[in-house]
Amino acid sequence: MIRPKLIGIAALTFTSCLFSVTAVFHSLGFRLNTTASAPVGLWRVQEAVTYQKGDFVEVCPPDLSIIRVMVDKGYLATGNCPTNVITLLKPIAVGKGDIVTIRKGLPVSINGRFLPNTRSMPTIQAWPDGTYLTKENEIWLFSTYSSGSFDSRYFGPVDISNIRGKAVPVLVIGDPARCF
């Protein structure tokens, strides 16, 4: 007969080991993506000097009311970004000089080309309709992988200083090239 005390000690030991392994993997840049914005699986985030369209990045979302609303509703978890929210894994869809057009009920357009799966959901406050010229130090993050992605269609452009690093797939289910 197994004693309840032994079960408790075993559970505590297992939990401690799991947290230790998770902390080590996180410190080495490994991230587990479970969201619809990119293929589910293991990614590795590394520092990079430059970023370009199509790169996946780990990024802190901007400090906007929509971010706080998403945290309050439980759609985003709290984390270690300056806004007390978790980092997001998103592809860079727009860089300096590109023109982004957002119109309610339509997919986002970049330089006149519509992006699939980028129509905002009517139940979430979207970025204001308009045509935006991308500035020097900003990017727009749009995932075409899933229509349910929480990205720049809701929080607009992101300053490049919010980027934590470039994310590369290690072991994922799905094709990252479908994200943009």
Side-chain angles (χ1 to χ4, degrees), residues 97-116:
D98 286 332
I99 297 172
V100 176
T101 303
I102 296 178
R103 298 277 182 259
K104 186 175 184 169
L106 294 175
V108 171
S109 161
I110 299 174
N111 299 325
R113 182 179 70 94
F114 286 109
L115 296 181

Side-chain angles (χ1 to χ4, degrees), residues 84-170:
N84 294 321
V85 68
I86 60 167
T87 56
L88 305 175
L89 176 71
K90 304 289 179 191
I92 298 174
V94 177
K96 178 186 174 222
D98 286 332
I99 297 172
V100 176
T101 303
I102 296 178
R103 298 277 182 259
K104 186 175 184 169
L106 294 175
V108 171
S109 161
I110 299 174
N111 299 325
R113 182 179 70 94
F114 286 109
L115 296 181
N117 291 325
T118 58
R119 185 175 290 128
S120 62
M121 290 185 255
T123 55
I124 302 175
Q125 180 184 345
W127 193 252
D129 282 2
T131 299
Y132 303 91
L133 178 63
T134 307
K135 299 174 187 164
E136 177 77 33
N137 291 319
E138 67 183 17
I139 55 172
W140 292 70
L141 307 165
F142 296 109
S143 175
T144 60
Y145 197 71
S146 165
S147 62
S149 180
F150 181 69
D151 53 28
S152 287
R153 68 188 102 168
Y154 303 106
F155 53 74
V158 176
D159 192 280
I160 60 170
S161 66
N162 289 27
I163 297 174
R164 292 271 178 96
K166 183 177 177 178
V168 293
V170 175

Side-chain angles (χ1 to χ4, degrees), residues 12-148:
L12 183 60
T13 302
F14 175 78
T15 303
S16 296
C17 289
L18 186 62
F19 279 121
S20 297
V21 168
T22 301
V24 168
F25 271 88
H26 195 271
S27 71
L28 294 173
F30 290 100
R31 306 291 187 268
L32 185 60
N33 178 54
T34 59
T35 71
S37 295
V40 171
L42 188 63
W43 293 74
R44 185 152 190 215
V45 176
Q46 302 167 320
E47 287 186 39
V49 177
T50 61
Y51 302 96
Q52 60 188 6
K53 281 194 258 184
D55 286 347
F56 280 86
V57 291
E58 181 181 55
V59 63
C60 288
D63 187 13
L64 299 170
S65 61
I66 186 66
I67 302 300
R68 290 184 289 282
V69 166
M70 297 306 274
V71 170
D72 291 345
K73 289 185 175 190
Y75 296 125
L76 290 176
T78 57
N80 66 352
C81 285
T83 55
N84 294 321
V85 68
I86 60 167
T87 56
L88 305 175
L89 176 71
K90 304 289 179 191
I92 298 174
V94 177
K96 178 186 174 222
D98 286 332
I99 297 172
V100 176
T101 303
I102 296 178
R103 298 277 182 259
K104 186 175 184 169
L106 294 175
V108 171
S109 161
I110 299 174
N111 299 325
R113 182 179 70 94
F114 286 109
L115 296 181
N117 291 325
T118 58
R119 185 175 290 128
S120 62
M121 290 185 255
T123 55
I124 302 175
Q125 180 184 345
W127 193 252
D129 282 2
T131 299
Y132 303 91
L133 178 63
T134 307
K135 299 174 187 164
E136 177 77 33
N137 291 319
E138 67 183 17
I139 55 172
W140 292 70
L141 307 165
F142 296 109
S143 175
T144 60
Y145 197 71
S146 165
S147 62

